[in-house]
């Protein structure tokens, strides 16, 4: 019997390459989200430190110019945090889209792999039957041979 060949092997290989590519893109998207979270955490920490410094200086007493400067600095940091939160939201949306694409590609790949496994099992079953039939024919020919006295 001829060697097993899966007819959709090239499609399966292509789908696996697409899946690998999407998984890499998804990993990059996850890294970008994590980096943005760290940046946002750093900005929030910086804001808290600056706000505490402002509160301390207010208790000690400071000039109006300094108070206005601190308030402007706090508002600028708040705007920057809001902007970075928007960036984080966009990155999370893109990461989710990549994850969905990976899931879809994984489903396609796994369905082809299951089909390949099913075809291979059918091939192996047919091969086993063929070998069994060959052995039976061989034994029956040997038993019918005149030179062979007892089977």
């Amino acid at each position: 019997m001829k060697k097993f060949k899966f007819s959709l092997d090239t499609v399966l290989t292509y789908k696996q390459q697409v899946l690998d590519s999407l998984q890499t893109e998804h990993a990059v998207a996850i890294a970008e989200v994590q980096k943005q979270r760290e940046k946002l955490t750093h900005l929030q920490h910086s804001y808290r430190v600056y706000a505490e410094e402002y509160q301390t200086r207010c208790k000690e007493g400071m000039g109006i110019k300094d108070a206005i400067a601190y308030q402007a600095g706090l508002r600028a940091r708040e705007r920057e945090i809001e902007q970075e939160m928007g960036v984080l939201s966009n990155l999370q949306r893109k990461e989710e889209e990549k994850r969905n694409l990976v899931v879809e590609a994984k489903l396609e790949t796994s369905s082809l792999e299951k089909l390949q496994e099913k075809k291979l099992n059918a091939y192996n079953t047919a091969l086993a039957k063929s070998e069994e039939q060959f052995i039976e024919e061989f034994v029956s020919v040997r038993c019918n041979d005149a030179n062979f006295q007892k089977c």
Side-chain angles (χ1 to χ4, degrees):
M1 198 168 192
K2 65 181 180 177
K3 186 178 175 185
F4 175 74
K5 172 103 173 87
F6 183 53
S7 60
L8 298 174
D9 201 30
T10 53
V11 174
L12 178 59
T13 301
Y14 172 74
K15 292 291 185 180
Q16 287 171 332
Q17 289 173 348
V18 168
L19 176 61
D20 291 343
S21 174
L22 287 172
Q23 286 174 330
T24 302
E25 291 173 13
H26 182 237
V28 168
I30 289 173
E32 288 176 349
V33 166
Q34 185 60 32
K35 184 178 177 183
Q36 185 65 23
R37 282 185 180 144
E38 291 171 3
K39 183 177 183 180
L40 193 56
T41 301
H42 175 72
L43 286 173
Q44 289 168 337
H45 175 72
S46 173
Y47 176 82
R48 282 191 301 272
V49 169
Y50 194 73
E52 288 172 5
E53 183 181 327
Y54 172 62
Q55 292 298 325
T56 304
R57 296 273 318 264
C58 280
K59 288 177 185 174
E60 294 172 354
M62 73 171 131
I64 293 178
K65 281 185 172 181
D66 290 339
I68 291 172
Y70 268 102
Q71 290 173 354
L74 287 171
R75 282 192 300 273
R77 283 183 168 87
E78 288 170 356
R79 283 190 302 272
E80 188 177 5
I81 288 171
E82 284 180 34
Q83 181 182 6
E84 295 302 326
M85 288 178 81
V87 170
L88 176 62
S89 178
N90 287 337
L91 289 173
Q92 287 173 326
R93 182 184 46 76
K94 288 178 183 177
E95 182 271 332
E96 186 176 340
E97 289 172 0
K98 292 292 183 188
R99 182 174 2 105
N100 290 337
L101 290 173
V102 167
V103 168
E104 185 179 315
K106 183 65 179 163
L107 287 173
E108 291 174 3
T109 304
S110 65
S111 66
L112 284 172
E113 288 170 344
K114 287 179 184 178
L115 180 61
Q116 180 184 30
E117 186 178 316
K118 193 174 185 181
K119 296 278 187 179
L120 180 60
N121 287 339
Y123 170 81
N124 288 335
T125 303
L127 181 63
K129 283 183 181 181
S130 170
E131 289 174 353
E132 186 178 310
Q133 184 179 12
F134 175 77
I135 291 170
E136 285 179 11
E137 288 175 6
F138 181 76
V139 168
S140 105
V141 167
R142 292 286 285 179
C143 285
N144 291 337
D145 193 359
N147 295 333
F148 207 79
Q149 293 183 359
K150 209 174 194 182
C151 284

